[in-house]
Amino acid sequence: MPDTIDALVRLRAREDPAKEAVIDPSARLTYADLDQESRRLAAALFAAGVGKGRRVGLIMPNRTEWVALAVAVTRIGAVLVPLSTLLQPPELAAQLRTASVQFLITVEEFRGHRYLDDVAAVRADLPALREVWRADRLPSQGSAPVDEIAATVTPSDTLAIMFTSGSSGPPKGVIHSHGNALAAVRSGMAARCIDADTRLYLPMPFFWVGGFAGGLLSALLTGATLITEEIPQPETTLCLIECERVTLFRGWPDQAEALARQSSSVGADLSSLRPGSLPALLPAELRGAPGARANLFGMTESFGPYCGYPADTDMPRSAWGSCGKPFEGMDVRIVDTDSGEPVPAGTIGMIQLRGPHVMRGICRRSREEVFTLDGFYPTGDLGHLDADGFMFYHGRADDMFKVSGATVYPSEVEQGLRTIDGVHNACVTEVDGAVGALVVSARTVEELHAEARKVLSAFKVPTVWLVTESDDDIPRKATGKVDARALRDLLATVR
């Protein structure tokens, strides 16, 4: 199996050139198109100074053009640095500095952000930055020998720097090689239920590992077709699912719930969706029982999920509510949060990862700062492994708190709240020593409190509530993760 992007694109163009690789509402590329267009762009970029090891930032919403540019950059050995379209100017400047970006390709404007103006304002503080190109005004000509250049790229060469952040602290520039990234995605393919016949819709932006790995690279590795759009909205997404005969919908559960409600009112045809899609969009007979199917679990440092179970298959009853089992190639252990010593099965502790699929490192940090002496990466996540090797997630170590001496894991409370009828999402944190919850629901606080007492221990039942009918009211960072500090501050206003 190919272990560089160039080799992978060549394989797809050779084996199935006419098959559609990526589709957006206004354009589509076959695998032959992707090979030819990325080759043209690669030659032009190389002629303009983008060579092996050069770091290229890309700011652009999901579209076929993003895919062609990403492939062009990486197939000649340059390092792709996908940057969020949500970044505010100080955040953008910080990430450009952290990754030492030398070339930046950006759309002029998207959703009110004017990136060229943002970069111009801080250009003096970005000594590594050599060129800034508008996406519609890229170098257009070049006669570089792309084949010869691509032949020098090896699996150990850096593929991308992906930015992430935890619930607190600055974003991290996570370094992945061609080999480790492709192997990580390949290891989870069966759990994702993606194969050559899949027509995959995935709403995650390509600048997140969920979109880049779970969407683009999953499609390339299997020869599937990826359907995407810049700004997912129920009306446009339902149209894409129906018109493009999408077979697999992966993404956010709350989005699936919103689509399911909308589809019933407009009569959208979702019959092309198959098991493995998010259950809200499937008929009842194709869904698993609540908790029976794994929630794929991973992180940017592992280049996506490192635990899972086939998304169309119920797990053993004892494993319900788990994240499935670690994928082949990933060594997972649970250690005591204080001593760092491994703990017995069934004991909650810090999750640590090791293996060839884990990141190569983090920008501007030494290996000793990132990994343990025996090569494990401390994730900051809490979990336990049962006797059969299934992993259960218990939240972030820095999110755990105590109420009247009892330990509360926000993820457990969130999972309990999400089982309540009419709850579409829930985020939980500590508020002045109490359990606080922001819940997306049309039900009243009194109703939610009464239902929560049926599914949670008394000390876990929230006493601080904020109820909203829109998921947009959940405070998030530019990476899409819940902003725990902002959530805590928001809930403190209603205490």
Side-chain angles (χ1 to χ4, degrees), residues 251-263:
W252 294 295
D254 56 291
Q255 186 195 25
E257 295 277 0
L259 288 173
R261 292 193 298 271
Q262 185 84 358
S263 68

Side-chain angles (χ1 to χ4, degrees), residues 118-141:
D118 293 345
V119 174
V122 296
R123 185 74 180 265
D125 297 325
L126 301 171
L129 188 61
R130 292 171 49 179
E131 296 284 353
V132 179
W133 291 311
R134 232 174 74 174
D136 59 351
R137 296 181 184 175
L138 288 170
S140 58
Q141 294 183 347

Side-chain angles (χ1 to χ4, degrees), residues 38-61:
S38 63
R39 184 185 296 270
R40 181 190 69 80
L41 288 166
L45 290 172
F46 187 84
V50 179
K52 186 176 180 180
R54 300 294 189 184
R55 298 184 175 190
V56 183
L58 179 57
I59 308 174
M60 182 181 290

Side-chain angles (χ1 to χ4, degrees), residues 65-371:
E65 187 182 2
W66 197 105
V67 176
L69 277 166
V71 170
V73 167
T74 57
R75 73 186 299 179
I76 58 173
V79 179
L80 179 67
V81 186
L83 295 162
S84 171
T85 58
L86 306 174
L87 294 174
Q88 296 298 324
E91 298 170 315
L92 174 58
Q95 293 190 12
L96 291 170
R97 280 195 299 270
T98 297
S100 298
V101 168
Q102 296 155 297
F103 300 86
L104 177 64
I105 301 170
T106 177
V107 294
E108 182 175 21
E109 187 274 339
F110 181 66
R111 303 191 80 171
H113 293 266
R114 301 190 62 83
Y115 307 107
L116 291 169
D117 294 343
D118 293 345
V119 174
V122 296
R123 185 74 180 265
D125 297 325
L126 301 171
L129 188 61
R130 292 171 49 179
E131 296 284 353
V132 179
W133 291 311
R134 232 174 74 174
D136 59 351
R137 296 181 184 175
L138 288 170
S140 58
Q141 294 183 347
S143 57
V146 173
D147 291 352
E148 289 83 351
I149 299 165
T152 69
V153 180
T154 70
S156 61
D157 286 328
T158 301
L159 167 71
I161 296 173
M162 307 292 296
F163 277 93
T164 183
S165 67
S167 56
S168 61
K172 298 174 290 187
V174 179
I175 303 168
H176 287 285
S177 70
H178 286 252
N180 94 260
L182 292 175
V185 177
R186 191 179 295 119
S187 70
M189 209 63 74
R192 288 186 172 102
C193 298
I194 301 174
D195 58 30
D197 296 324
T198 300
R199 294 180 67 82
L200 170 68
Y201 177 90
L202 192 144
M204 277 86 165
F206 293 152
F207 54 73
W208 288 337
V209 75
F212 187 35
L216 174 53
L217 295 190
S218 291
L220 284 176
L221 278 166
T222 58
T225 297
L226 177 64
I227 293 97
T228 190
E229 58 185 329
E230 293 188 359
I231 306 174
Q233 298 287 350
E235 298 81 5
T236 59
T237 301
L238 287 169
C239 180
L240 277 175
I241 293 173
E242 181 173 351
C243 297
E244 297 295 343
R245 304 304 293 165
V246 169
T247 62
L248 190 66
F249 182 103
R250 305 292 303 166
W252 294 295
D254 56 291
Q255 186 195 25
E257 295 277 0
L259 288 173
R261 292 193 298 271
Q262 185 84 358
S263 68
S264 60
S265 63
V266 302
D269 180 7
L270 306 183
S271 61
S272 60
L273 291 174
R274 70 189 189 199
S277 298
L278 290 180
L281 295 173
L282 295 172
E285 64 271 16
L286 297 183
R287 304 179 190 178
R293 296 186 180 171
N295 296 313
L296 300 184
F297 185 73
M299 59 197 318
T300 302
E301 292 88 337
S302 60
F303 207 67
Y306 62 84
C307 273
Y309 202 80
D312 60 354
T313 305
D314 289 358
M315 295 182 290
R317 186 64 181 85
S318 61
W320 285 20
S322 79
C323 305
K325 290 186 175 183
F327 297 144
E328 184 178 353
M330 188 65 73
D331 189 4
V332 177
R333 73 180 180 187
I334 311 297
V335 303
D336 183 86
T337 54
D338 294 322
S339 70
E341 293 298 316
V343 297
T347 304
I348 296 174
M350 171 86 73
I351 302 170
Q352 294 188 345
L353 308 177
R354 183 177 66 182
H357 303 170
V358 178
M359 63 179 173
R360 305 296 87 180
I362 294 176
C363 289
R364 302 178 183 271
R365 297 191 192 180
S366 68
R367 183 171 181 83
E368 291 74 18
E369 292 178 278
V370 175
F371 299 100

